[in-house]
Amino acid sequence: MEEEIFSPEESLKVIQAMINKAKATVADNSYYFLLWGWTIFIASTGQFILKVIVKSPYHPIVWTINILAIVLSILHGVKEGKKNIARSYIDESLDHLWTSILIAYILIAFLFAHIGWENCYSFYMLLYGLGGFVTGKILKFPPLVWGAVASWLLAAVSIYTSFDVNMLLSSAAIVVSYIIPGHLLRAKYKSAKK
C-alpha cells in the first residue's frame, strides 16, 4: 500500500472534518448532557428543598434518582452502540475524558461518604467545569467553555458559603455547564440535520 501525502491545507481540512464529525456525534449525544444535567439539578435542588424548607433528615434520599439516570444512560449507550458508526480519534478521546470524570465522581462520593459531605459540592462543580471545558475546547463549542468557567467561579464562591447554599450553587453550576450547553448542542444538531 502506498501512503498518501497531504498538503498542509488538505491536512487541516481532514482535521476540521474530524472535528465537525465529533461535534455532530456529541451534539447527537447531548442526551447525556441533558439527562445528567437535569438529574443533578433535580437532586441538588430537591435536597435543598428537603433539608432547608421541609427540614427532613432524609434529604439525601433525592440522590437515588441517579440510579434511574444510570439505567437510562446504559440503555441509550447500548442502543447507540448497535448503530456501528465509525468513530474518530476525537470521539474516543472524549469517551476517555468522560469515563475518567465518571470515575472521579464515584471516588469523590466514596471519599465524602467517609469524611463528611460538607464540602462535596465544590469538588463536583470543579468536575462539571473540567468536562465541559475540555469538551468545549476540543469541539470548538464556546457555550461549553463559558459554562465550565462559570462552574469554576461558582466552585470558588462555594468555598465561602454554607452547605445549604452550596446545594443551590451546584444547581446553578449544572444549569450553566450541562443543561444550557446541552440544549444548544441539541438545537445545533437538529438544525444541521435539516
Side-chain angles (χ1 to χ4, degrees):
M1 291 190 340
E2 195 172 305
E3 193 174 308
E4 193 171 340
I5 299 175
F6 291 106
S7 70
E9 292 81 15
E10 291 171 325
S11 297
L12 287 173
K13 285 180 184 178
V14 169
I15 292 168
Q16 189 60 47
M18 288 176 61
I19 291 170
N20 289 340
K21 183 195 173 296
K23 280 183 185 178
T25 303
V26 171
D28 189 21
N29 288 328
S30 62
Y31 173 86
Y32 296 108
F33 279 104
L34 295 173
L35 171 66
W36 284 101
W38 283 109
T39 299
I40 293 168
F41 177 81
I42 290 166
S44 59
T45 304
Q47 184 178 17
F48 175 82
I49 292 167
L50 287 176
K51 184 177 186 298
V52 176
I53 298 171
V54 177
K55 301 197 184 311
S56 169
Y58 305 108
H59 57 89
I61 195 77
V62 295
W63 287 98
T64 59
I65 193 173
N66 284 339
I67 296 167
L68 176 62
I70 290 168
V71 170
L72 292 173
S73 291
I74 290 169
L75 292 174
H76 186 75
V78 168
K79 178 183 161 192
E80 291 298 306
K82 290 181 180 178
K83 290 183 178 178
N84 280 336
I85 298 171
R87 297 181 48 76
S88 71
Y89 178 75
I90 291 172
D91 295 324
E92 290 178 11
S93 297
L94 289 172
D95 282 351
H96 297 314
L97 166 70
W98 286 100
T99 299
S100 65
I101 289 174
L102 172 65
I103 291 166
Y105 282 142
I106 293 166
L107 292 175
I108 286 174
F110 282 114
L111 171 72
F112 282 105
H114 180 69
I115 66 171
W117 295 96
E118 294 79 28
N119 299 304
C120 68
Y121 287 110
S122 301
F123 287 89
Y124 283 120
M125 286 185 269
L126 291 172
L127 288 176
Y128 304 160
L130 176 65
F133 186 85
V134 174
T135 302
K137 284 296 192 179
I138 288 173
L139 299 179
K140 298 180 181 175
F141 190 66
L144 280 169
V145 175
W146 301 330
V149 171
S151 186
W152 288 334
L153 291 173
L154 290 168
V157 169
S158 74
I159 296 167
Y160 304 103
T161 58
S162 69
F163 180 77
D164 293 349
V165 172
N166 287 351
M167 287 182 257
L168 294 178
L169 292 176
S170 177
S171 295
I174 207 68
V175 166
V176 297
S177 62
Y178 280 38
I179 295 174
I180 292 172
H183 282 292
L184 293 173
L185 275 171
R186 171 79 41 98
K188 188 172 184 174
Y189 173 72
K190 285 182 178 179
S191 70
K193 278 182 70 174
K194 288 181 182 179

